[in-house]
Amino acid sequence: MDADRLADRAETNLPRNNRIATTALKGASLLGLAMGMIAATPALAADADARAAAPKVEEIIVTAQFHTQKLQDTPIAITALSGSSLEDRSANNLSAISDSAPSVILRPASAAFGDSITASIRGLGQGDFDPAMEPGVGIYIDDVYFPRLTGANLDLMDVDRVEVLRGPQGTLTGKNSEGGAIKFYSKVPNGDNSGYITATYGSRNRINLAGSADFKLVDGLYGRISGAYGDQDGYINVYDFGCRNPGQGVASTTGGTNCLKYKEGDVGYKAVRGILRYNPNDKLDVTISGDYTKDQHHNAAQVLLYANNQNPNVAAAPGVPYDSRFICGPFCNYDTTGQGAATFTAGLLPFLQGAPFQATSGSELSKYTGWGVSGKILYNLTDTVKLTSITSYRAFEDMFSVDNDLSPANVGFGNNDITDWSWSQELRLNARLSNMVNATLGGYYSDEKSVYYTLQDIRYVAVGVPGPVCAAIGGVNTPTCPVYPLQFIGNDPITTKSKGVYGDIEIKPTDGLTINGGLRYTNDQKNYTFVRLNLDGVTPQTFLGALNGFTATPFNGNRLDYRFAVDYRFNPQAMVYASVASGYKAGGDGPRPFNPAQAIAFGSESVVNYEIGTKTDLLDRKLRVNLDVFYLDFKNAQLTLLSCPQYGGAGPCALPQNAGNAHSKGVEAEVTLRPVAGLVIDSSLSYQDWKWTCVNPQVVGLAQGPCSSDQSVISLINQQPPGLEKWKWNVGAQYDADLGNAGSLTPRIDVSYQGSQIGNVLAATPGSPSALYGQLDAYTLTNARLTWRSRTRDLTVALAVTNVFDKYYYTSKFDLTGAGAGAIAGSPGRPREWSIAIKKTF
């Protein structure tokens, strides 16, 4: 059977893919240092006999250009990781793979965004789970597009391989892949009656169970079923404030042992996948798969970093303002699940004095349920023409409650319930027109509907001026000058449709030269209708009633993306390539208007990427060095403002707008070295510089006008976007020691560096709470693993330690000071954890 059919069936068992790059490049050119490393490699492995005995770096097959190719022959910056390689790195979910891929950031989102992730590649992506927003990184499971960031921190269950494509993939993977694409490929059944079962125990009563079985039903009909279970206690203690701090004027509500209510950052999921494959002959291959996931746990880990709001409406109790007393510590908080009834203390609008706040309550648990079915049909019309059909239906529901102030104060609280269904159909025709030409023609259609239910209890709406100033402008002498009470129910339907046609052609005029070109036309449509009701669920909300039933201007965008690449292979050891490619992310309407002026649209953003790179296998394939240099021309950046008095006045804000244009340049390196038998060293590194070329003046609070290149305007926005790290690197090494009849012992260590990231979009004033507490600092983590395998390699025992040096760091921060809430929360990363896993294959 030819290689094309093997890869399209996702049957190719990719070998372990490891890379190495130097990690000390500051003050030197990446390309120059990498070339120096290549030149110095003989000194690293001076013993020629030892080099000859070492295994070669394995060939890796990818399908990024719609047909099977060696990784080293593909003119795209790709990180490819096999399932076994991910296991060696103790990577068990989507966010964990980013350590191994340069310029890639995948992190669990803050508790305010439920069960979702932030995803970006080369600074382009998205961190907002709201279905009104589109991700800038395309996530695919067995060639099926995963439309939302909610539920996207996928468990790596029975994964054959993961391909991370960096740079815009507007023609190859299409929808919303301006930053790049992440493609998962499951192990598919082949009827060999194989399987495995794994059991893990570790820190904080961690229990993981996973297994898979591959079986033959009859000739040509095969099945595979996989399952995973995970449970672990949390690492952030949630205490009852009144119990733990008697005499502060706040009543105790529950108490519990040592005033502990529960723990956040825990794990509780179950997942199952079944795949049925019908392969009666060499012409037809049909795969039908279904999966189900249930994830229930307390909120994501979070701690309070800053608290200061003198508004009397947010006080935890009479005379108990919201301030630093509610900062619990590095691994605890005073999270609550609701806010009590009260009456409004007016400031600017005295006639609202005494208006009621109703009590609100929610759940301490975050609950995600998702499922999907898909079918893939491969049919060989002739020996050179192949038709592929991919059909999918997916649905999920995510429910969670958020206490933004992490205290018994009444700053802000919300319940959220997002339901979503989507189906898609793709048809693709591949033709090998000659030994010189491969061509692909395809079409894509998707239809999605989301409903975002939310109950919001926001009590901090204020002008934010001192009481005497409030009185001078006609209000009451009240701290921070409260404006109005804001409690409402939203139940917003959002529909999204996308249509696309694409073509790709690859021409090989000579043995060494390959030319590739592609075009894709896309039409995206989005409709958003606002529902804003009082807490009775019937009457229009008092202050947002103008939005109730309002359908925003539908987004309807057309886009033609292109890609051109040329590569030249000098010899079996070295290939160079150059490419230019475009991508875009659809626009829409601001989904969280806290006043009618914020119900405004934002447009699409787009990028053109210019890239040159080299892929080399040196020293008889003992050393693999892949390098690339890129330049981004980025237009109409979609950034979410958390402070926007210029749009309707004081109060909350979470408004996406097109902030401006930018240029960015960067370098990336991935290297694998096998100097002697058993030893593998792998690494990656990326550096990226970002420069705004113009900024929308209104976005930074100035008068409306064209995009401005004035440095005084540009300086008002953060000098890099969310989701960009200037420096990022990792290095790992493992040695497989042969113990003879006792099997083998493999120690591995991985060290990864994550660069700093910004907090909010607007530049923080030096010395402000946002500057002091709202930014994400860089950090370095070390993981270690020791694996014993039996001589027959059917039994494995692994001891793993993650975050070996118990580094304290934050994966995200949520800064609401600009909106007037006076709160900054952080999400601490997981502390040092150990686990022991036993795996039996059969």
Side-chain angles (χ1 to χ4, degrees):
M1 187 175 296
D2 63 30
D4 284 349
R5 288 175 55 75
L6 282 172
D8 283 330
R9 293 172 185 173
E11 292 178 328
T12 306
N13 292 320
L14 294 182
R16 181 176 303 157
N17 175 41
N18 299 307
R19 294 170 166 81
I20 182 172
T22 179
T23 63
L25 294 182
K26 288 189 177 181
S29 161
L30 173 67
L31 186 60
L33 185 54
M35 292 299 100
M37 181 179 176
I38 293 172
T41 297
L44 296 176
D47 189 331
D49 292 336
R51 290 204 309 271
K56 302 177 188 298
V57 177
E58 296 91 345
E59 294 288 6
I60 299 172
I61 304 299
V62 296
T63 55
Q65 297 187 131
F66 301 123
H67 62 92
T68 57
Q69 288 179 285
K70 296 176 183 178
L71 174 68
Q72 297 303 90
D73 289 338
T74 308
I76 300 174
I78 302 177
T79 300
L81 299 167
S82 67
S84 60
S85 178
L86 292 167
E87 186 176 314
D88 287 342
R89 291 166 167 80
S90 301
N92 55 15
N93 54 37
L94 173 64
S95 61
I97 72 171
S98 65
D99 289 347
S100 303
S103 301
V104 177
I105 299 176
L106 300 167
R107 295 188 182 182
S110 66
F113 287 173
D115 270 313
S116 65
I117 64 168
T118 63
S120 64
I121 298 177
R122 294 180 176 174
L124 308 181
Q126 185 57 258
D128 194 336
F129 73 98
D130 195 292
M133 310 292 290
E134 297 297 320
V137 174
I139 298 175
Y140 291 80
I141 305 172
D142 298 329
D143 288 325
V144 172
Y145 179 64
F146 199 95
R148 296 290 138 221
L149 295 176
T150 298
N153 196 19
L154 306 164
D155 178 74
L156 301 182
M157 176 178 63
D158 209 26
V159 171
D160 180 63
R161 71 187 188 277
V162 178
E163 297 176 10
V164 181
L165 285 61
R166 304 190 298 279
Q169 306 298 320
T171 63
L172 295 174
T173 61
K175 186 173 171 65
N176 298 318
S177 297
E178 60 169 3
I182 301 172
K183 306 175 75 173
F184 289 81
Y185 291 96
S186 305
K187 293 180 179 178
V188 296
N190 55 28
D192 62 1
N193 296 317
S194 65
Y196 70 87
I197 186 168
T198 300
T200 303
Y201 181 79
S203 300
R204 301 191 311 281
N205 298 312
R206 173 183 171 183
I207 297 175
N208 287 87
L209 301 173
S212 180
D214 190 305
F215 48 89
K216 175 179 176 181
L217 298 171
V218 297
D219 286 344
L221 184 62
Y222 316 114
R224 189 177 184 97
I225 188 167
S226 309
Y229 168 86
D231 188 82
Q232 187 179 21
D233 295 340
Y235 57 97
I236 299 293
N237 294 328
V238 179
Y239 293 110
D240 182 303
F241 180 85
C243 172
R244 200 164 187 242
N245 299 274
Q248 294 253 357
V250 178
S252 175
T253 55
T254 56
T257 303
N258 298 321
C259 304
L260 179 66
K261 297 194 294 185
Y262 52 87
K263 295 191 176 187
E264 293 178 339
D266 53 325
V267 175
Y269 70 85
K270 309 174 186 68
V272 64
R273 177 186 297 127
I275 302 176
L276 192 65
R277 176 181 167 210
Y278 178 58
N279 181 214
N281 51 53
D282 287 340
K283 283 187 171 293
L284 179 65
D285 198 338
V286 180
T287 303
I288 299 173
S289 65
D291 63 86
Y292 174 83
T293 300
K294 184 177 180 63
D295 193 349
Q296 179 172 301
H297 52 81
H298 295 94
N299 276 340
Q302 51 188 339
V303 298
L304 189 61
L305 303 176
Y306 175 80
N308 184 15
N309 192 328
Q310 300 303 307
N311 187 328
N313 294 301
V314 309
V320 185
Y322 181 60
D323 57 24
S324 60
R325 76 188 72 202
F326 297 109
I327 297 175
C328 181
F331 287 106
C332 66
N333 67 50
Y334 300 114
D335 203 356
T336 60
T337 55
Q339 299 184 160
T343 58
F344 180 65
T345 299
L348 190 61
L349 303 175
F351 66 89
L352 290 174
Q353 182 73 30
F357 280 113
Q358 297 182 45
T360 55
S361 62
S363 172
E364 65 189 50
L365 295 176
S366 176
K367 303 175 183 179
Y368 172 85
T369 303
W371 64 276
V373 292
S374 64
K376 184 174 182 179
I377 302 173
L378 304 176
Y379 186 71
N380 286 342
L381 300 172
T382 70
D383 289 342
T384 58
V385 180
K386 177 171 57 182
L387 179 68
T388 304
S389 172
I390 305 168
T391 308
S392 172
Y393 180 89
R394 298 203 63 84
F396 72 78
E397 181 175 16
D398 190 27
M399 297 184 292
F400 59 98
S401 298
V402 180
D403 178 28
N404 290 323
D405 51 80
L406 297 179
S407 75
N410 299 301
V411 178
F413 176 79
N415 291 327
N416 303 272
D417 187 347
I418 304 132
T419 57
D420 181 280
W421 62 258
S422 62
W423 77 269
S424 63
Q425 174 63 54
E426 183 169 2
L427 285 174
R428 185 186 305 157
L429 188 68
N430 295 84
R432 184 177 299 161
L433 303 180
S434 70
N435 290 334
M436 293 176 53
V437 181
N438 278 312
T440 301
L441 182 65
Y444 174 84
Y445 178 81
S446 67
D447 190 4
E448 180 184 10
K449 182 175 181 179
S450 305
V451 177
Y452 183 9
Y453 170 88
T454 185
L455 183 154
Q456 291 293 321
D457 183 0
I458 298 171
R459 306 191 184 186
Y460 62 82
V461 182
V463 176
V465 299
V469 177
C470 185
I473 60 176
V476 178
N477 191 335
T478 303
T480 72
C481 202
V483 180
Y484 56 81
L486 187 57
Q487 295 182 313
F488 66 88
I489 286 175
N491 197 27
D492 303 350
I494 309 105
T495 59
T496 305
K497 293 184 179 181
S498 183
K499 300 183 285 286
V501 292
Y502 58 88
D504 188 85
I505 188 167
E506 182 182 85
I507 303 172
K508 199 172 182 64
T510 69
D511 286 343
L513 179 65
T514 304
I515 301 170
N516 185 280
L519 290 172
R520 187 181 189 110
Y521 170 81
T522 303
N523 172 255
D524 283 321
Q525 301 175 31
K526 186 180 288 286
N527 289 275
Y528 199 110
T529 300
F530 297 100
V531 174
R532 294 294 181 268
L533 302 173
N534 286 315
L535 297 193
D536 61 10
V538 177
T539 58
Q541 208 279 334
T542 306
F543 301 99
L544 302 179
L547 291 171
N548 190 53
F550 172 68
T551 298
T553 303
F555 174 81
N556 192 333
N558 299 306
R559 171 76 179 183
L560 183 65
D561 280 311
Y562 58 88
R563 176 176 177 266
F564 177 79
V566 58
D567 64 80
Y568 185 78
R569 180 162 289 285
F570 295 98
N571 51 50
Q573 291 78 42
M575 182 266 276
V576 296
Y577 71 89
S579 67
V580 56
S582 69
Y584 102 118
K585 184 171 70 174
D589 293 280
R592 301 183 184 93
F594 294 102
N595 63 60
Q598 293 179 10
I600 55 178
F602 57 94
S604 303
E605 65 180 24
S606 63
V607 65
V608 178
N609 179 73
Y610 304 89
E611 185 172 322
I612 58 174
T614 179
K615 297 190 175 185
T616 60
D617 283 328
L618 307 172
L619 302 178
D620 193 27
R621 276 190 30 220
K622 303 295 191 302
L623 173 67
R624 172 168 293 172
V625 181
N626 291 346
L627 301 172
D628 67 80
V629 180
F630 63 87
Y631 177 85
L632 300 176
D633 186 7
F634 188 43
K635 304 288 187 183
N636 300 315
Q638 297 172 5
L639 300 180
T640 298
L641 304 175
L642 296 181
S643 175
C644 59
Q646 65 271 38
Y647 295 97
C653 178
L655 180 64
Q657 286 291 282
N658 296 103
N661 305 333
H663 290 161
S664 183
K665 53 192 175 184
V667 290
E668 298 165 337
E670 294 181 285
V671 184
T672 302
L673 176 65
R674 290 177 175 265
V676 295
L679 177 62
V680 180
I681 305 171
D682 52 83
S683 185
S684 68
L685 180 143
S686 58
Y687 168 83
Q688 185 172 357
D689 183 58
W690 186 277
K691 181 180 181 180
W692 293 105
T693 58
C694 71
V695 167
N696 177 357
Q698 192 174 14
V699 165
V700 292
L702 303 178
Q704 187 172 1
C707 196
S708 174
S709 299
D710 190 318
Q711 285 303 309
S712 65
V713 177
I714 292 176
S715 65
L716 297 177
I717 199 170
N718 243 313
Q719 295 308 294
Q720 66 185 57
L724 183 143
E725 296 174 338
K726 194 168 187 177
W727 288 94
K728 181 177 186 288
W729 56 260
N730 86 284
V731 60
Q734 67 182 59
Y735 182 75
D736 191 7
D738 189 350
L739 304 180
N741 290 333
S744 65
L745 193 64
T746 305
R748 180 179 177 91
I749 188 166
D750 290 277
V751 182
S752 63
Y753 173 85
Q754 305 284 329
S756 61
Q757 295 185 56
I758 67 165
N760 287 341
V761 170
L762 300 182
T765 302
S768 68
S770 291
L772 296 174
Y773 307 106
Q775 313 304 307
L776 279 167
D777 293 331
Y779 59 87
T780 303
L781 297 181
T782 301
N783 297 335
R785 188 179 179 96
L786 181 65
T787 304
W788 173 83
R789 293 182 176 89
S790 66
R791 185 168 182 80
T792 55
R793 305 186 77 82
D794 62 338
L795 182 62
T796 300
V797 180
L799 173 65
V801 180
T802 55
N803 193 1
V804 171
F805 299 107
D806 206 18
K807 173 72 174 179
Y808 188 85
Y809 64 101
Y810 297 100
T811 59
S812 65
K813 290 186 177 180
F814 195 49
D815 181 358
L816 286 175
T817 56
I824 301 176
S827 299
R830 306 188 79 81
R832 179 170 53 225
E833 297 179 345
W834 64 269
S835 65
I836 186 166
I838 301 174
K839 182 177 182 179
K840 172 65 177 177
T841 60
F842 54 88

